[in-house]
Amino acid sequence: MCGIVGYLGARDPKEVILKGLKTLEYRGYDSSGVSILNKGKFKRVRAQGKLSQLCEKLQNEDFDGHLGIGHTRWATHGKPSERNAHPHQLNHVNIVHNGIIENYAEIKEKLIKNGSQFESETDSELVAHLIEREMNFNASLLNATINIIPGLRGAYSVLAVSEKTPDQCVAFKNGPPLLIGLGEDEIIVASDIQAIISYTKKIIYLEDDEIALISPGKVEIYNFKGQRIEKSPVTVNWDASQIEKQGYPHYMLKEIFEQPRAVAQAIDPHIDLSTRKINLSGVGFNVDNFEGPEALDLKNDLLNTNEILQTIERVFIVACGTSYYAGMLGEYLIERAAEVPVEIDLASEFRYRYPVIPKNSLLIVVSQSGETADTLAALRQAKKQGALTLSICNVPRSSIDREAHGHLYMNAGVEIGVASTKAFVSSLALMNILSLSLAKAKGLLNEDLEKKCVDEIVAAPSLMEGVLAYDKFFAQAADDLKKKRGFLYLGRGVSYPIALEGALKLKELAYMHAEGYASGEMKHGPLALIDETMAIIVLCPKDELYEKTISNLEEAKARGGMIISIGTGDDERLKSISDHYLSLPETAWYVNPLLEVIPLQLLAYYVAKSLGNDVDQPRNLAKSVTVE
Ligand code: G6P
């Protein structure tokens, strides 16, 4: 939820930290701050509001030191204010923290009894107090950290520095990500690779229960007990240009337009164009550490993905937000293609609902960031209960990716807009691949059908290109649409998750009331909402549910709502009952959702833009929700 950057090296720390925080602003943006060495002391500058406020304050500030830490915050404990902004400082110690210290009240009470005074309402400040106290008893920065960690409960990642050790920084984590970039004469620590990649591609991924002691040209890793661990950096292959806006006014619009490519990249590793066959290669189920020995009939020699899929009798899909809707599509596709029962759950519900996970179950977690706290907890819970797990992530080596037994990658490239777009379509495409692979493993996909499906899926990116042309329509329609009192998004079957996603996009970006509904459910309540102040967005492809959706739509029309329909080809009938009809090219029912979502994303984008909202960083939201 927050973004952390630390720098030790030859450049101006202010420049590196601010540039890094800019790339991390998506993680939180209600306040920010830096502490940078100047004449042997840490000079701290903080500001409420967006990062630009901090940049303004720092414009005329110079620092002569080469060590600094910075933070962009999304408030959990304590309201957004300068006082609650990080870094937190106590005498010579400065810290930045991402996550939640669950037992903070208890620790704080003890410290107050012993005479400590707190400046902020946060759970984070006490880390500075604890380290300072240890160092006052002559512990080194590293030892102080090792000593305080057993007393902390919760999910946290922290950077700590002290004026007593002006060439050292300590990083430790149990939960939210921390990466360490190793440059020529410099070391950069950050919550996300985006803050590091323009300096170096050599990265150490700090794991849970690890501490990094960073000093000039050197990183030493210890476990929480203080024992030294050997760890080599890996070289990553993302490049900095992927992270820029490239002429688009917003990242979100850029990412909407990147969707055809995102889908092509997602399916590429799993489709052999010469044989027109599907495969799940690269999933690499690692069952060596499988924790459910009784639960799944996996024999030692049974490590082939196809054979593993054959053993699956039940599928669970768990995710949050937009990823959850991608999972919903998975439910429709897998049940229909592979005839395996599927349960779909919100991660925040799954982890506390005492789920029954029968033998031979596969749990699929979908997460763009790979760091969503609830999804990660659900994954761990399912592993404990003996499920085989498969992650679908966009960020390789993220926590969820690392902890799952098998892995699929969205390959959407870096997604910066807080509201997810391209990662969503990549996930939808992977749900297609997965359902067909399962069907194949179960003997339910003959060669001809496989070839036909491959052709349909491979054609999706170019069909999506065409749908992007609705950009102009929504750019114009937005001024009228923004005057509506509310929006109802309707869909049935595989279009239902897309209706839900469309409504979510509008809520996230335009802050307007929007609901997604299964069209057949309209008469059970939402019909009462409809009058001429409502806009009804209906997904009505020419599929087996077409007639039923048309009658649902007639009911809405009779109540005076403004209707925008999204259908297939030249559909005169649908056109005649709609105020605006948007035609999508003909494609298979399982590919159609990839096309349908594009107009809905464009609608949300342009309405939000026309309202003057911050499209890339909507209020109150964060891209990566690493707390519960
Ligand atoms: C946040 C983001 C959403 C995202 C959700 C799940 O709420 O704002 O865009 O869909 O988290 O994130 P994940 O990274 O797990 O897909």
Side-chain angles (χ1 to χ4, degrees):
M1 311 300 281
C2 305
I4 290 178
V5 183
Y7 182 77
L8 173 64
R11 293 176 213 252
D12 177 1
K14 179 176 100 173
E15 300 301 321
V16 181
I17 293 172
L18 284 183
K19 194 172 154 199
L21 290 179
K22 189 80 208 137
T23 70
L24 299 182
E25 214 184 359
Y26 72 90
R27 298 178 70 88
Y29 34 80
D30 59 44
S31 54
S32 51
V34 298
S35 284
I36 300 172
L37 269 183
N38 187 47
K39 304 196 188 337
K41 298 269 170 220
F42 278 104
K43 196 198 283 185
R44 178 174 65 160
V45 180
R46 299 179 295 172
Q48 187 183 336
K50 293 236 162 190
L51 189 62
S52 51
Q53 310 290 114
L54 179 70
C55 294
E56 229 166 79
K57 272 186 147 180
L58 280 168
Q59 231 164 30
N60 300 318
E61 296 284 350
D62 289 319
F63 303 84
D64 65 5
H66 291 285
L67 173 65
I69 55 175
H71 188 271
T72 170
R73 177 170 189 251
W74 187 81
T76 54
H77 293 65
K79 61 179 185 296
S81 65
E82 186 172 331
R83 195 161 67 94
N84 288 332
H86 299 220
H88 293 290
Q89 188 171 61
L90 186 69
N91 300 325
H92 54 93
V93 174
N94 283 255
I95 68 106
V96 288
H97 163 230
N98 176 22
I100 289 179
I101 311 284
E102 281 168 7
N103 56 338
Y104 81 100
E106 206 177 293
I107 302 179
K108 204 164 166 178
E109 203 184 304
K110 265 193 216 152
L111 287 168
I112 290 171
K113 267 194 196 142
N114 289 332
S116 297
Q117 283 180 354
F118 281 83
E119 183 196 50
S120 75
E121 304 150 334
T122 66
D123 55 335
S124 313
E125 189 187 346
L126 58 87
V127 178
H129 284 250
L130 293 173
I131 292 180
E132 197 255 2
R133 203 181 51 170
E134 291 292 324
M135 289 186 81
N136 288 346
F137 289 114
N138 287 331
S140 65
L141 180 61
L142 175 67
N143 285 336
T145 306
I146 294 167
N147 294 348
I148 69 152
I149 284 173
L152 302 178
R153 235 181 27 237
Y156 48 79
S157 52
V158 176
L159 290 188
V161 287
S162 160
E163 286 158 12
K164 290 190 176 174
T165 50
D167 55 0
Q168 280 189 351
C169 172
V170 154
F172 60 98
K173 93 163 197 101
N174 175 38
L178 266 186
L179 286 66
I180 304 166
L182 307 175
E184 282 282 296
D185 289 317
E186 56 193 353
I187 296 174
I188 309 116
V189 196
S191 311
D192 197 324
I193 197 153
Q194 282 143 244
I196 301 177
I197 202 73
S198 51
Y199 305 100
T200 176
K201 293 186 175 177
K202 268 169 71 184
I203 308 285
I204 293 178
Y205 288 85
L206 206 63
E207 303 284 341
D208 283 354
D209 300 340
E210 284 181 358
I211 308 169
L213 176 63
I214 295 153
S215 40
K218 193 162 86 178
V219 178
E220 291 169 11
I221 310 286
Y222 297 83
N223 64 18
F224 277 5
K225 291 190 188 117
Q227 293 153 335
R228 186 74 194 270
I229 300 172
E230 283 314 317
K231 212 166 170 174
S232 314
V234 292
T235 304
V236 298
N237 58 9
W238 280 4
D239 77 70
S241 71
Q242 287 181 298
I243 306 170
E244 283 153 18
K245 278 192 205 145
Q246 293 164 0
Y248 286 92
H250 296 100
Y251 283 111
M252 183 182 176
L253 192 62
K254 168 179 170 267
E255 286 159 8
I256 290 175
F257 274 81
E258 282 171 349
Q259 291 184 114
R261 186 151 53 98
V263 167
Q265 288 170 182
I267 59 176
D268 181 64
H270 309 295
I271 284 184
D272 182 336
L273 284 176
S274 57
T275 56
R276 291 155 75 205
K277 282 188 181 305
I278 290 229
N279 62 70
L280 263 196
S281 63
V283 165
F285 277 114
N286 176 1
V287 286
D288 289 349
N289 303 321
F290 191 55
E291 289 161 23
E294 306 299 335
L296 191 77
D297 292 332
L298 286 174
K299 301 183 198 84
N300 286 339
D301 57 348
L302 200 70
L303 294 176
N304 169 295
T305 300
N306 199 48
E307 284 170 325
I308 289 179
L309 292 184
Q310 280 168 17
T311 69
I312 300 304
E313 289 167 9
R314 196 175 192 95
V315 171
F316 291 80
I317 308 178
V318 178
C320 298
T322 290
S323 292
Y324 172 74
Y325 297 136
M328 265 180 93
L329 181 80
E331 180 189 27
Y332 283 91
L333 298 183
I334 293 171
E335 291 205 331
R336 185 142 165 206
E339 298 176 13
V340 177
V342 181
E343 265 179 60
I344 163 96
D345 258 293
L346 290 165
S348 52
E349 287 299 311
F350 180 86
R351 58 185 294 198
Y352 294 116
R353 77 167 170 85
Y354 301 96
V356 176
I357 304 183
K359 206 174 160 203
N360 297 345
S361 291
L362 172 70
L363 176 115
I364 303 167
V365 278
V366 189
S367 177
Q368 187 284 131
S369 61
E371 300 294 347
T372 301
D374 283 320
T375 312
L376 180 59
L379 168 73
R380 288 176 179 162
Q381 162 95 5
K383 278 175 80 179
K384 253 195 223 143
Q385 289 184 238
L388 184 71
T389 59
L390 170 66
S391 62
I392 300 185
C393 291
N394 194 35
V395 181
R397 298 193 196 86
S398 53
S399 303
I400 290 174
D401 178 41
R402 276 177 288 152
E403 292 197 24
H405 296 113
H407 321 268
L408 279 173
Y409 295 104
M410 297 174 191
N411 287 340
V414 183
E415 190 180 70
I416 307 267
V418 164
S420 183
T421 51
K422 60 178 179 169
F424 179 66
V425 289
S426 289
S427 311
L428 298 183
L430 289 176
M431 287 300 170
N432 266 291
I433 301 285
L434 195 55
S435 62
L436 293 172
S437 305
L438 257 170
K440 202 165 149 179
K442 299 275 175 193
L444 293 170
L445 187 71
N446 66 40
E447 260 186 47
D448 287 349
L449 187 55
E450 182 174 1
K451 284 185 180 148
K452 185 176 171 296
C453 293
V454 165
D455 292 348
E456 297 281 5
I457 295 170
V458 168
S462 55
L463 298 181
M464 291 169 76
E465 297 269 3
V467 181
L468 287 167
Y470 282 118
D471 178 59
K472 290 189 190 63
F473 170 79
F474 285 110
Q476 279 181 2
D479 280 346
D480 278 343
L481 286 169
K482 75 175 179 201
K483 295 179 197 134
K484 291 288 165 197
R485 184 172 55 92
F487 288 73
L488 201 55
Y489 288 74
L490 302 177
R492 298 186 79 129
V494 291
S495 298
Y496 174 41
I498 306 303
L500 292 170
E501 169 61 7
L504 177 65
K505 281 281 119 3
L506 196 77
K507 278 183 258 201
E508 285 177 309
L509 299 170
Y511 321 143
M512 291 175 83
H513 176 241
E515 277 198 69
Y517 247 93
S519 330
E521 192 59 17
M522 256 226 318
K523 50 187 155 312
H524 300 294
L527 209 49
L529 289 171
I530 297 177
D531 61 18
E532 58 293 340
T533 65
M534 286 284 279
I536 294 134
I537 320 294
V538 64
L539 303 173
C540 185
K542 278 229 179 88
D543 60 13
E544 58 191 23
L545 295 168
Y546 176 77
E547 290 296 336
K548 294 190 189 300
T549 310
I550 290 276
S551 11
N552 302 144
L553 196 53
E554 299 277 12
E555 292 159 7
K557 175 84 183 163
R559 270 90 188 166
M562 180 235 220
I563 293 176
I564 299 182
S565 61
I566 299 169
T568 316
D570 205 9
D571 186 337
E572 290 302 332
R573 190 163 161 213
L574 189 53
K575 217 185 268 178
S576 70
I577 36 176
S578 310
D579 295 278
H580 300 282
Y581 170 68
L582 310 187
S583 146
L584 298 181
E586 245 171 83
T587 181
W589 63 271
Y590 43 88
V591 170
N592 201 47
L594 288 163
L595 311 186
E596 279 180 331
V597 74
I598 295 175
L600 307 191
Q601 295 164 335
L602 289 167
L603 187 161
Y605 171 80
Y606 279 108
V607 170
K609 190 173 170 216
S610 166
L611 287 165
N613 294 353
D614 187 337
V615 181
D616 283 331
Q617 293 169 354
R619 70 182 182 201
N620 306 339
L621 301 180
K623 182 138 196 78
S624 174
V625 182
T626 53
V627 292
E628 255 195 272

